[in-house]
Amino acid sequence: MTDVHRSKLSNQDSVFKDKEDPICSIPLTPNEDEVDMYALYAEIDKIRNEFQENFTTKHPWYPILEELVRTEEQYFNDIDSIVENYIPDFESMQSKFPDVISPETPNIIFINLQAIRDFHKRFYRSLKPILSQESLIRVGKLFQDEADNFKIYSEYCSNHSNSVELLVKLTKNGEVNASLRLVQNKLKHPLNLSTYLLKPVQRVLKYKLLLESMIKHAKQDSDEKALLQSAAERMDSITKEINELKAMSENKQMLEEVHVGLDLTPVLVCLFVCLF
């Protein structure tokens, strides 16, 4: 190595020695501001954890209220999609297949589903804000105020079996079945129409069960528990009335079928005598 090269290397070493290494200059321990931020984050986590523990302890009924609101929204969306899509489809098929679809067909199949949809549109609007208000008193009061309006289900449940019977008969027609399939695919419904028509029958019976679940978690001897119990009793009375009317309707239908069978008996006897 020449003297010139040694001189250049020496000069470069002196340059690097004069400069501070940026990596090595980072302090190994946090400064005061960083320590304060760490303490702040730790305090925030502590408060969050305490809040979640207290919330769970104070409101064990909240998940039930969440389920009520969530399933009510889904239920409304389901019946709304039926009213807005399947009913117009039947009205359209009436002009295409007049020998199969009569003017009364939509009324027999959907009964008063449109009125039920309109009621739940208003009911859900009143129910949804209660989720953020976290008030069982408001839940109980809402069901007490609206209890009589649930009687609208009596007509639907009483005629549901006739609806299903007619729908099964109609879907045996290839053109009708194809049209209903198109609507189902458009809505991306995983299940057919008859399954969705069963939802109102199932839903009206579920309210009492949800209210009873909330009662179990309500404070003893409180206004909220008293209101919930009163609301549950009202819903229980209404569901019993619905079931009684449904049973009467089914018994009436069965008697009519038996009556038709009895009326045919003389004819069958005459045929038997003539043949033998």
Side-chain angles (χ1 to χ4, degrees):
M1 183 181 290
T2 63
D3 293 338
V4 174
H5 291 145
R6 290 191 183 94
S7 175
K8 287 182 178 180
L9 289 172
S10 176
N11 291 336
Q12 288 176 355
D13 290 341
S14 63
V15 169
F16 284 115
K17 286 179 182 178
D18 293 338
K19 290 186 177 181
E20 184 180 5
D21 188 340
I23 296 177
C24 296
S25 64
I26 296 175
L28 296 177
T29 58
N31 57 37
E32 292 182 359
D33 292 338
E34 289 172 330
V35 170
D36 290 342
M37 289 301 295
Y38 294 148
L40 178 60
Y41 290 144
E43 187 65 23
I44 290 174
D45 287 337
K46 181 181 177 182
I47 293 172
R48 183 187 294 114
N49 292 334
E50 288 178 353
F51 174 79
Q52 290 176 344
E53 290 175 1
N54 291 336
F55 188 82
T56 303
T57 303
K58 291 179 180 178
H59 304 291
W61 45 262
Y62 191 77
I64 305 168
L65 177 59
E66 279 187 316
E67 181 187 355
L68 171 61
V69 176
R70 177 182 58 79
T71 55
E72 182 68 22
E73 180 181 18
Q74 183 60 56
Y75 172 63
F76 169 75
N77 289 336
D78 284 341
I79 60 176
D80 183 60
S81 67
I82 299 301
V83 169
E84 295 298 326
N85 293 276
Y86 277 106
I87 292 180
D89 185 54
F90 268 91
E91 292 171 348
S92 175
M93 284 192 291
Q94 183 185 332
S95 59
K96 294 178 182 177
F97 321 119
D99 295 336
V100 181
I101 308 293
S102 72
E104 289 301 314
T105 297
N107 294 331
I108 297 172
I109 291 178
F110 301 101
I111 317 169
N112 63 337
L113 187 62
Q114 187 166 350
I116 291 174
R117 186 277 308 266
D118 294 342
F119 162 63
H120 279 277
K121 182 178 183 179
R122 178 171 52 80
F123 181 76
Y124 176 68
R125 285 178 178 174
S126 300
L127 177 65
K128 187 177 180 180
I130 298 176
L131 190 61
S132 59
Q133 295 165 354
E134 303 170 19
S135 172
L136 285 184
I137 289 180
R138 290 183 179 273
V139 175
K141 191 172 187 311
L142 175 62
F143 275 93
Q144 276 196 328
D145 293 343
E146 299 288 355
D148 287 340
N149 292 320
F150 281 96
K151 292 179 180 180
I152 197 173
Y153 278 89
S154 297
E155 180 182 355
Y156 188 91
C157 295
S158 297
N159 293 281
H160 177 256
S161 58
N162 294 332
S163 167
V164 173
E165 184 180 348
L166 178 58
L167 184 60
V168 170
K169 180 181 177 181
L170 290 174
T171 50
K172 291 179 181 178
N173 181 289
E175 293 175 313
V176 173
N177 191 46
S179 183
L180 294 177
R181 285 285 184 184
L182 287 175
V183 177
Q184 180 181 344
N185 293 335
K186 182 182 74 171
L187 296 173
K188 297 180 180 180
H189 281 177
L191 303 170
N192 58 26
L193 175 58
S194 61
T195 305
Y196 283 86
L197 291 176
L198 180 62
K199 286 181 179 287
V201 180
Q202 297 171 327
R203 184 63 183 176
V204 72
L205 301 176
K206 192 173 183 180
Y207 291 113
K208 176 203 166 190
L209 301 177
L210 289 168
L211 289 170
E212 287 177 342
S213 296
M214 291 183 196
I215 291 171
K216 293 178 182 178
H217 298 289
K219 295 178 181 178
Q220 292 293 333
D221 301 323
S222 62
D223 291 339
E224 60 188 25
K225 186 162 189 173
L227 272 171
L228 287 172
Q229 286 175 331
S230 177
E233 289 170 2
R234 291 288 303 280
M235 292 305 298
D236 181 51
S237 175
I238 289 169
T239 53
K240 284 180 179 177
E241 181 180 336
I242 291 172
N243 285 331
E244 288 173 1
L245 290 172
K246 187 174 185 295
M248 288 173 61
S249 176
E250 291 173 352
N251 290 337
K252 180 181 178 182
Q253 184 179 356
M254 184 177 65
L255 289 172
E256 288 175 352
E257 292 173 356
V258 171
H259 182 66
V260 170
L262 291 174
D263 286 344
L264 290 175
T265 302
V267 178
L268 293 174
V269 171
C270 290
L271 288 172
F272 181 83
V273 172
C274 293
L275 289 171
F276 296 92

